[in-house]
């Protein structure tokens, strides 16, 4: 399977995917590139995105806790009609 088909199948099954999920689950380090290629193939309005944020507590080098905000994109597959790419 190609990266494109992995992400497309995930979008078909779940409706959305985050850039963090793409990196962690599929080991793709440039998720925007795969999404760009899917948009070229399916049409630019087939996949939309929105920025999301999440607060996370991290341990600093000095041992203190610090709350940071993580920003990432969530990609959504719009209603899709067609044979797909698989």
């Amino acid at each position: 399977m190609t990266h494109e088909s992995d992400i497309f199948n995930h979008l078909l099954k779940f409706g959305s995917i985050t850039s963090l999920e793409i990196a962690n689950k599929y080991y793709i380090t440039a998720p925007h590139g795969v999404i760009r290629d899917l948009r070229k193939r399916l049409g630019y309005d087939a996949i939309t995105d929105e920025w999301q944020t999440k607060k996370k507590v991290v341990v600093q080098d000095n041992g203190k806790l610090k709350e940071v905000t993580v920003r990432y994109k969530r990609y959504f597959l719009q209603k899709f009609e067609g044979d797909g790419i698989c």
Side-chain angles (χ1 to χ4, degrees):
M1 279 192 147
T2 66
H3 291 309
E4 282 182 35
S5 62
D6 288 340
I7 303 307
F8 181 70
N9 287 331
H10 185 102
L11 287 167
L12 281 175
K13 186 173 182 180
F14 299 105
S16 71
I17 191 168
T18 68
S19 54
L20 297 174
E21 290 173 317
I22 293 172
N24 292 331
K25 187 171 185 176
Y26 299 103
Y27 306 106
I28 299 170
T29 56
H32 60 279
V34 176
I35 296 297
R36 179 197 61 228
D37 293 344
L38 281 171
R39 284 176 170 156
K40 283 181 183 178
R41 198 170 209 163
L42 302 173
Y44 287 95
D45 58 348
I47 299 174
T48 59
D49 61 66
E50 69 180 37
W51 282 103
Q52 297 190 328
T53 59
K54 178 168 55 170
K55 300 272 187 199
K56 184 175 180 178
V57 177
V58 296
V59 180
Q60 295 179 304
D61 291 337
N62 60 8
K64 292 185 179 183
L65 298 178
K66 179 180 179 181
E67 184 176 85
V68 296
T69 301
V70 179
R71 287 188 61 193
Y72 56 94
K73 279 199 172 179
R74 178 173 294 277
Y75 300 97
F76 299 92
L77 181 64
Q78 301 306 305
K79 185 175 179 181
F80 183 75
E81 296 176 12
D83 294 334
I85 61 169
C86 304

